[in-house]
Amino acid sequence: MERIYITTPLYYVNAEPHLGHTYTTVVADTLKRHFQSIGYEAFLLTGTDEHGDKIAQAAALDGTSPKEYADRISDLFRSTWDACGIAYDHFIRTTDTYHQEYVQKILQKIYDAGEIYFGEYGGLYCYGCERFYTEKELVDGKCPDHQTAPQFISEKNYFFRMSKYQERLIEEIQNKPDLIRPERYRTEVLAFLREPLEDLCISRPVSRLKWGIPLPFDNNYVTYVWFDALLNYVSALNHRGGDSLQTFWPKAQHLIAKDILKPHAIYWPTMLMAAGLPLYDHLNVHGYWVMDSGKMSKSLGNVIRPLEMKARFGMDAFRYFLLREMAFGQDAKFSEEALVTRINADLANNLGNLVSRVLAMQQKYFAGVVQPVGAEWSAEDRELSNKFAQAENELNGYMAELQFHRALETLWSALDYTNRYIVQTSPFTLMGPRPGVIRTESDKARVGEILHHLLDSLRSVARLLAPFMPDTAAEMRALLAIDDTAVTAPWGEAFRAGHKVNPPKVLFPRIETDTSK
Ligand code: MSP
């Protein structure tokens, strides 16, 4: 059986879950469900990143200890993902004992191998990013992310011989063109690697920072937060025991946004090389969600909270918007107006309407009872089933490339075709009163067949949509009164004649917008 290991970043516990975190997590969940649907064994890991200056400072501001503070926010992440229906297999916290022990084990191993040395370093340090900056990386002397001037600090620390791996890393990236994808991020990393790579400072003196994993070979120091956090991807599998590590490790699909490209594309693979572990399969990098009003921030009061979105619009509608609106790899704009427009156009008018229309006809003409479908299919019938086969193929291709918006577009083009099929075959005309025309038994049988094909379309939609909108797919299956086996049966064989489907129900009420504004 093929396997896939999907990871989200471990989110810092200094902020509550927002739109950005939700996007990556929803993408991870969708990928997992999709790969499972095509027969893979999948494992999804998420969790929280809890050590370091940033968290210690946030806890101090909050008047609590770092651990109490981390407990509270970490629980909030976990309960948010539960409430959002995210099918994660394991939730890791970097304060978990097994993770701390694993980090120490790897540190000791690479220290013993001579890959870590003690030295002095002075440089410009951004506390927000928890890293040193070179002059070149600064914008007007400030950290490009935090818009604050970094401080010069100089201290003795431990360094990982990252520079030693520069050539091998370049080779790995060149040999596997989609190791880092999409292409633009690969190009960015290769451009960065044209300059000499420096060694990585992997410790912080306890005199400055206590909130971290102690170095196993010097307890005057704690581990640099990135060296600690990145190892989660392996420590979690190791903790699961059995052969999880061997089974899933090199099958990793990491999901991140562009903000943390460098640690994942440079630190992490070189750490893996030093630890003697194979590299991940793919690093998948997406863009940023930006608000109309600019960057999302607490001070601007424009933070989008997933549970608020769920309460107002429904989780599936929110998921649909996120996956349909952003082209993976590029930035996208978030606005409520755009969200409502998509819900009304794509979900209420298109998908919702189609489901109601088909079930209403089935109810009205045959009291919900499915009619037989003959061996001879009309050209339109064949075209309809072909459209879905084709959509499925294309969708699988797009999913392999993380082109979620294209995958959904493809599915919606099959919906459009289904609507066209209704117009072409015109069941309501065949069944309706036609002056001077007497409805025959064969007209009625044909309508039964048309509806049978339409029910098959809905069943296919329910199947292909499930990874993106799992609750809606389940509701559709309930309306069609079918179980999972019927969902995957070949076209024409899922519904027996005599099977009864349910009356229609409104899946997505139209959202009225105040047009007077
Ligand atoms: N703790 C580190 C990651 C360690 S991984 C071993 C970290 N945490 S974070 O809380 O800042 O999360 C960053 C991630 O959150 C991004 O890479 C992305 O997945 C998500 N996003 C946060 N804001 C975002 C947007 N505005 N838009 C899209 N995703 C963003 O970095």
Side-chain angles (χ1 to χ4, degrees):
M1 183 187 262
E2 294 212 66
R3 298 191 167 89
I4 186 167
Y5 174 41
I6 301 161
T7 70
T8 75
L10 293 201
Y11 304 115
Y12 285 132
V13 289
N14 64 345
E16 297 185 3
H18 60 57
L19 170 68
H21 308 126
T22 311
Y23 176 72
T24 319
T25 312
V26 162
V27 161
D29 180 74
T30 305
L31 263 190
K32 175 183 167 181
R33 292 173 191 267
H34 168 75
F35 276 94
Q36 279 181 326
S37 80
I38 58 168
Y40 278 61
E41 187 184 353
F43 190 95
L44 170 52
L45 179 71
T46 190
T48 44
D49 187 355
E50 307 183 9
H51 291 123
D53 289 301
K54 216 194 275 237
I55 312 302
Q57 283 170 19
L61 267 181
D62 195 56
T64 40
S65 74
K67 182 64 169 66
E68 278 172 321
Y69 181 76
D71 284 349
R72 179 159 61 80
I73 311 285
S74 180
D75 279 353
L76 192 63
F77 270 96
R78 192 198 296 248
S79 59
T80 301
W81 303 148
D82 287 339
C84 290
I86 303 297
Y88 60 85
D89 295 285
H90 188 72
F91 187 99
I92 184 172
R93 303 181 53 182
T94 54
T95 51
D96 286 334
T97 312
Y98 70 83
H99 171 74
Q100 308 204 45
E101 286 171 1
Y102 191 81
V103 170
Q104 289 186 324
K105 192 178 105 183
I106 297 288
L107 278 167
Q108 188 68 54
K109 180 176 168 183
I110 68 176
Y111 180 72
D112 292 344
E115 302 278 318
I116 290 175
Y117 64 92
F118 195 51
E120 179 144 18
Y121 185 81
L124 294 166
Y125 190 79
C126 170
Y127 281 91
C129 301
E130 311 216 15
R131 74 170 179 95
F132 287 100
Y133 270 90
T134 61
E135 296 277 359
K136 245 172 83 183
E137 289 176 298
L138 301 175
V139 178
D140 298 329
K142 290 181 178 166
C143 158
D145 270 357
H146 294 89
Q147 267 89 50
T148 50
Q151 291 176 26
F152 184 85
I153 58 171
S154 169
E155 59 192 17
K156 285 214 157 93
N157 266 307
Y158 286 88
F159 292 83
F160 163 50
R161 295 189 197 281
M162 192 162 74
S163 57
K164 184 176 143 182
Y165 295 97
Q166 177 159 11
E167 285 315 309
R168 197 175 138 199
L169 179 57
I170 294 173
E171 259 170 46
E172 295 275 0
I173 299 174
Q174 275 167 347
N175 290 344
K176 189 169 173 189
D178 59 355
L179 179 70
I180 301 168
R181 58 186 182 178
E183 176 77 25
R184 58 196 298 188
Y185 298 109
R186 171 181 190 259
T187 311
E188 199 177 314
V189 172
L190 284 173
F192 181 83
L193 285 168
R194 259 181 242 127
E195 303 287 324
L197 194 57
E198 289 179 4
D199 289 341
L200 183 67
C201 176
I202 53 129
S203 65
R204 298 291 180 264
V206 170
S207 55
R208 183 155 70 75
L209 175 74
K210 290 185 185 53
W211 184 234
I213 303 177
L215 291 187
F217 40 83
D218 187 342
N219 58 16
N220 291 314
Y221 288 87
V222 295
T223 313
Y224 170 48
V225 66
W226 274 106
F227 200 94
D228 155 358
L230 287 163
L231 281 165
N232 90 86
Y233 299 133
V234 176
S235 76
L237 290 180
N238 187 59
H239 170 67
R240 299 283 296 197
D243 60 354
S244 295
L245 189 57
Q246 289 73 18
T247 309
F248 284 109
W249 170 246
K251 297 273 140 224
Q253 295 276 350
H254 293 312
L255 293 164
I256 60 165
K258 60 185 184 180
D259 55 337
I260 50 177
L261 177 61
K262 190 173 161 188
H264 283 82
I266 299 196
Y267 305 172
W268 182 222
T270 56
M271 285 165 67
L272 285 165
M273 289 173 193
L277 286 163
L279 296 199
Y280 47 74
D281 233 5
H282 295 288
L283 177 62
N284 305 293
V285 191
H286 64 77
Y288 247 50
W289 281 98
V290 288
M291 310 296 294
D292 277 344
S293 40
K295 211 175 161 174
M296 201 171 35
S297 82
K298 237 183 188 169
S299 51
L300 286 175
N302 60 0
V303 178
I304 302 293
R305 306 251 172 244
L307 294 185
E308 196 188 316
M309 290 292 117
K310 179 186 172 199
R312 290 179 54 205
F313 303 105
M315 194 60 208
D316 270 13
F318 184 47
R319 281 174 76 110
Y320 175 78
F321 176 77
L322 294 180
L323 296 164
R324 178 65 185 80
E325 193 76 6
M326 179 178 259
F328 193 92
Q330 290 163 35
D331 288 354
K333 250 203 185 143
F334 184 91
S335 75
E336 241 178 72
E337 206 187 330
L339 170 64
V340 168
T341 304
R342 280 232 178 264
I343 293 178
N344 283 345
D346 299 0
L347 300 182
N349 288 359
N350 200 339
L351 175 61
N353 219 0
L354 178 68
V355 172
S356 307
R357 227 173 145 189
V358 173
L359 291 177
M361 286 194 279
Q362 191 70 49
Q363 201 61 35
K364 185 169 166 202
Y365 303 149
F366 301 104
V369 177
V370 178
Q371 304 301 300
V373 66
E376 295 284 308
W377 294 4
S378 75
E380 287 106 352
D381 301 345
R382 276 199 303 276
E383 183 70 10
L384 182 65
S385 104
N386 286 344
K387 273 278 168 216
F388 274 92
Q390 191 189 332
E392 180 167 359
N393 258 338
E394 284 176 19
L395 182 145
N396 286 344
Y398 286 132
M399 290 305 276
E401 292 169 4
L402 296 102
Q403 295 291 311
F404 307 100
H405 70 302
R406 293 255 180 267
L408 284 169
E409 226 171 42
T410 302
L411 186 50
W412 255 253
S413 74
L415 286 182
D416 289 343
Y417 190 84
T418 310
N419 277 315
R420 211 172 319 142
Y421 172 85
I422 299 180
V423 175
Q424 280 172 350
T425 55
S426 212
F428 35 83
T429 315
L430 289 175
M431 285 304 274
R434 283 173 292 165
V437 180
I438 299 169
R439 189 191 314 127
T440 64
E441 271 312 301
S442 87
D443 283 342
K444 196 168 174 191
R446 175 65 188 141
V447 171
E449 278 183 353
I450 293 170
L451 285 173
H452 195 129
H453 286 294
L454 284 169
L455 291 173
D456 256 326
S457 301
L458 296 188
R459 174 182 71 100
S460 305
V461 174
R463 180 158 62 84
L464 299 175
L465 191 62
F468 306 88
M469 302 175 76
D471 297 343
T472 306
E475 269 190 285
M476 286 177 69
R477 287 197 301 268
L479 285 171
L480 297 172
I482 50 173
D483 59 18
D484 293 349
T485 21
V487 160
T488 50
W491 193 280
E493 291 173 27
F495 298 99
R496 274 172 301 102
H499 174 88
K500 200 164 176 198
V501 298
N502 286 302
K505 112 176 206 215
V506 177
L507 290 178
F508 303 98
R510 254 191 88 78
I511 299 167
E512 295 311 327
T513 46
D514 183 358
T515 46
S516 61
K517 270 197 252 167

